[in-house]
Amino acid sequence: KAVLGGGGETGTRALLVLTRNCGIQVHNAMGALRHFGIRPEPRSLLDVLEADGADRLVEAHRKMSRVEGVGGRARQQKTSATLAGEEEEDGYLLVTHEDNVRGLHLDGLDAVIVVGRPGSPDEYTHIAGRTGRAGRRGSVLNVVSYEQAAALASWTMMLGVDFLPVDESEVAGILDA
């Protein structure tokens, strides 16, 4: 089983964002993460918001973004505490689509994991900007193909960030550590 974080008193609070061009649906990503035993157990962002009593907001968001059938019902979650930024011992992993991130604020988000290349530098900024807020540190990990990595690297000057490529052999070493 793989565990996000693990260095501090609380687990990592992460948001996994699936871009439009990655070809992966939220429910498929969650199924794969659960299959591989990722902890904390991944939860659909829209389902967490819905369980927190934001039904009308979520329904409106689903209609606007044309998102359907996102994940299953969340089980006994501390959604209010999590979304309000209170520390949760195991952290959390929320999974969502690129279209659901604009304007989203999650207190204390440690990391954003982006699967696929966002459509533009502006979209990248909106996705990556979910972490590292209010003077806190945050990390962004981009999971892209070799071709997409070259496109991301071309945004370095425009965005003022460095994209550090890691190949498959290095990833194995990171996961084993």
Side-chain angles (χ1 to χ4, degrees):
K1 295 189 188 258
V3 178
L4 289 176
E9 292 179 19
T10 63
T12 299
R13 292 171 276 199
L15 178 66
L16 177 77
V17 179
L18 304 169
T19 63
R20 289 180 197 102
N21 67 12
C22 78
I24 303 171
Q25 299 296 316
V26 171
H27 66 279
N28 291 336
M30 290 178 47
L33 292 166
R34 286 182 179 131
H35 173 78
F36 289 107
I38 298 296
R39 294 285 176 245
E41 183 167 330
R43 298 179 283 178
S44 160
L45 173 67
L46 293 181
D47 285 346
V48 169
L49 290 174
E50 194 171 74
D52 198 40
D55 293 342
R56 288 181 32 198
L57 173 68
V58 170
E59 191 56 39
H61 202 296
R62 283 183 172 162
K63 283 180 183 176
M64 288 178 59
S65 63
R66 293 186 227 62
V67 175
E68 297 178 20
V70 182
R73 290 276 174 224
R75 291 179 287 156
Q76 296 184 328
Q77 302 162 346
K78 293 176 17 179
T79 56
S80 296
T82 299
L83 295 175
E86 292 181 22
E87 293 185 351
E88 198 173 68
E89 188 174 308
D90 295 331
Y92 59 80
L93 173 59
L94 300 176
V95 181
T96 194
H97 191 269
E98 176 179 4
D99 293 332
N100 298 329
V101 227
R102 244 182 216 269
L104 177 68
H105 176 75
L106 297 170
D107 288 329
L109 190 64
D110 298 308
V112 174
I113 304 160
V114 184
V115 179
R117 183 182 60 85
S120 69
D122 184 52
E123 287 297 319
Y124 178 84
T125 300
H126 283 289
I127 294 170
R130 303 307 93 206
T131 189
R133 293 175 158 227
R136 289 184 53 123
R137 295 183 55 89
S139 300
V140 180
L141 173 67
N142 299 285
V143 180
V144 295
S145 68
Y146 181 78
E147 294 79 18
Q148 291 173 336
L152 276 181
S154 73
W155 297 349
T156 298
M157 295 282 286
M158 188 181 322
L159 294 173
V161 297
D162 292 323
F163 293 98
L164 307 172
V166 178
D167 76 13
E168 292 176 47
S169 64
E170 293 173 294
V171 170
I174 293 169
L175 295 176
D176 291 339

